[in-house]
Amino acid sequence: MNIVYLFGNGFDRNLGLNTDYKSFYNYYMEQKSTSSVINQLKSEIGSNYDTWADLEKALGKYLKNITKKEDAILIHKDLLEHLQTYICSEDSRYIAPKDSSKQILAELFYPIKSLRFNQRRKIENGILKTNQNRDLYIISFNYTETLERLIGYKGEQTTVYSFGNGNYSHLRDIEHIHGYCNPDKGRMALGLDNPSQICNENLSSSQNICYRFVKPTFNDLCGEEHHLKCLRWINTADFICIFGMSIGISDQTWWNAIGKRLLSSSAILLYFYHEGFELRNNNAPEFQEQVDSIKDNLLPKLGIDDISNEDIRGRIYVSCCKTMFKYGVDEKATN
């Protein structure tokens, strides 16, 4: 049974890192530049923080104002280099708590612990039976390696003897689909999902621009088939978990792939919606209405037009848990 995770920036934010774009902008604005193109970009960002909450989406729109390809390339290079430096500094300050590996692996292989009892029982009696081996694949959209430090992952398969039933769970692989902030590892992708999201026909039709601004194209240039490998994982997934992601257009390829998997199989999707409120006291009706609304908004983003499809809706579970994958910095190690 294959479990596939997609981890976004919310994972690092949950660990206490300031890896959101607004925090990056505070740093970026302080970096001096002699380029009028870069200074104009900074002025635009500074006066429209809300619009730039999603850097990649906002960047695609901002390019409509750029007439020269050289200026667009300069903007990309400047943003990427400073983002790399900033994220590296955040990544380096995270020290995983002692013995975190056992705890996080338990959560990874049993992601349904935050769901209601009747939902857990339904899943355990169905696709997530306890008497079977589990293979885990992780697609990280983060440039950091906080997840690897938490797990103690060294690039080799990790085997976990689980549930006391004689079965094994295997962490098969972790793929950073957008690369790493570590310059020694390289391949740091920043941009859009496809050329149509570049709001400038002159630029979107330029191969040199797409090399930089279109993430799947950039990944292809690296020649390691990172993109294809992750798509294969999703296409064979039985259980898919999305954590810490806003389901934005700049990663539309992945949402479409998940939608197609739901439509063509009996796979289950567990979506962690961190902004929502949890089930407490007497708020069960309000909580369920919230879940229904989240599914209404999520399904079109997955490329599923019929949001009333009861089969699909029944295989999508929503968790608003605030404690999953929450491991602060090891304070003792920093002293």
Side-chain angles (χ1 to χ4, degrees):
M1 203 275 292
N2 294 332
I3 303 175
V4 175
Y5 273 90
L6 291 85
F7 278 120
N9 184 50
F11 180 83
D12 281 344
R13 295 282 291 155
N14 214 30
L15 302 180
L17 298 188
N18 299 317
T19 49
D20 59 296
Y21 284 131
K22 186 171 183 179
S23 294
F24 162 64
Y25 298 145
N26 292 335
Y27 162 83
Y28 186 53
M29 298 302 182
E30 295 176 352
Q31 310 311 305
K32 303 298 182 182
S33 176
T34 59
S35 168
S36 60
V37 172
I38 299 303
N39 289 328
Q40 177 60 40
L41 171 68
K42 290 180 178 180
S43 175
E44 172 65 22
I45 294 173
S47 59
N48 295 284
Y49 268 131
D50 291 340
T51 301
W52 284 83
D54 183 335
L55 187 155
E56 293 173 318
K57 179 180 178 181
L59 187 58
K61 292 182 177 180
Y62 182 76
L63 289 178
K64 68 181 180 182
N65 304 312
I66 305 300
T67 57
K68 297 180 180 179
K69 297 177 185 178
E70 295 79 8
D71 289 346
I73 292 172
L74 174 62
I75 286 171
H76 189 272
K77 182 179 178 63
D78 195 71
L79 278 170
L80 187 61
E81 288 181 351
H82 284 101
L83 182 63
Q84 184 171 36
T85 300
Y86 176 77
I87 298 297
C88 270
S89 68
E90 285 297 302
D91 187 29
S92 65
R93 74 181 183 85
Y94 183 75
I95 300 175
K98 186 178 180 181
D99 300 325
S100 61
S101 177
K102 184 177 181 180
Q103 298 176 52
I104 191 170
L105 284 170
E107 288 190 325
L108 286 168
F109 285 109
Y110 192 71
I112 62 174
K113 76 171 191 176
S114 64
L115 297 177
R116 286 168 277 183
F117 172 76
N118 62 335
Q119 293 179 326
R120 296 198 306 270
R121 185 171 61 178
K122 179 180 178 181
I123 294 172
E124 288 174 338
N125 290 335
I127 202 167
L128 204 61
K129 294 183 178 68
T130 57
N131 62 343
Q132 62 182 335
N133 295 331
R134 300 178 185 179
D135 291 330
L136 175 63
Y137 303 87
I138 298 176
I139 305 172
S140 175
F141 288 71
N142 297 329
Y143 304 122
T144 65
E145 295 179 80
T146 54
L147 178 60
E148 285 85 344
R149 292 202 287 281
L150 278 164
I151 297 173
Y153 182 75
K154 304 296 184 182
E156 298 178 353
Q157 174 181 301
T158 300
T159 301
V160 180
Y161 185 77
S162 60
F163 305 112
N165 55 19
N167 296 97
Y168 286 87
S169 297
H170 307 276
L171 170 55
R172 297 293 187 184
D173 200 357
I174 299 176
E175 178 63 63
H176 284 254
I177 190 59
H178 293 160
Y180 303 85
C181 60
N182 184 343
D184 293 333
K185 294 189 175 182
R187 194 179 60 83
M188 189 168 163
L190 175 69
L192 290 307
D193 184 74
N194 58 73
S196 69
Q197 295 173 355
I198 299 174
C199 300
N200 183 318
E201 290 186 8
N202 182 48
L203 296 180
S204 64
S205 61
S206 167
Q207 192 66 67
N208 291 341
I209 295 298
C210 291
Y211 285 159
R212 294 164 173 81
F213 284 90
V214 179
K215 289 181 288 190
T217 302
F218 176 81
N219 272 334
D220 285 343
L221 294 178
C222 297
E224 299 296 330
E225 296 191 343
H226 305 282
H227 223 76
L228 294 178
K229 179 169 69 172
C230 292
L231 285 174
R232 285 196 296 269
W233 292 351
I234 292 174
N235 292 339
T236 57
D238 302 297
F239 199 101
I240 301 170
C241 299
I242 301 175
F243 186 93
M245 304 199 71
S246 60
I247 323 294
I249 64 168
S250 60
D251 292 308
Q252 191 62 52
T253 290
W254 307 106
W255 317 139
N256 288 342
I258 291 171
K260 289 177 182 177
R261 182 60 181 167
L262 291 174
L263 287 168
S264 63
S265 72
S266 58
I268 283 177
L269 172 64
L270 173 54
Y271 176 45
F272 288 89
Y273 187 76
H274 197 73
E275 296 177 7
F277 58 84
E278 298 180 72
L279 177 62
R280 295 186 185 281
N281 196 15
N282 297 319
N283 75 341
E286 290 83 5
F287 178 80
Q288 187 56 50
E289 289 167 352
Q290 170 189 235
V291 169
D292 292 341
S293 177
I294 291 170
K295 291 183 182 182
D296 290 344
N297 291 322
L298 177 63
L299 284 163
K301 293 181 179 180
L302 300 179
I304 299 174
D305 296 326
D306 182 9
I307 66 171
S308 64
N309 186 318
E310 290 303 322
D311 174 54
I312 299 292
R313 294 181 74 93
R315 287 187 282 115
I316 296 177
Y317 294 83
V318 176
S319 172
C320 298
C321 177
K322 302 295 189 295
T323 58
M324 287 285 286
F325 308 120
K326 196 174 183 67
Y327 300 89
V329 173
D330 190 336
E331 298 295 342
K332 293 181 180 179
T334 60
N335 293 329

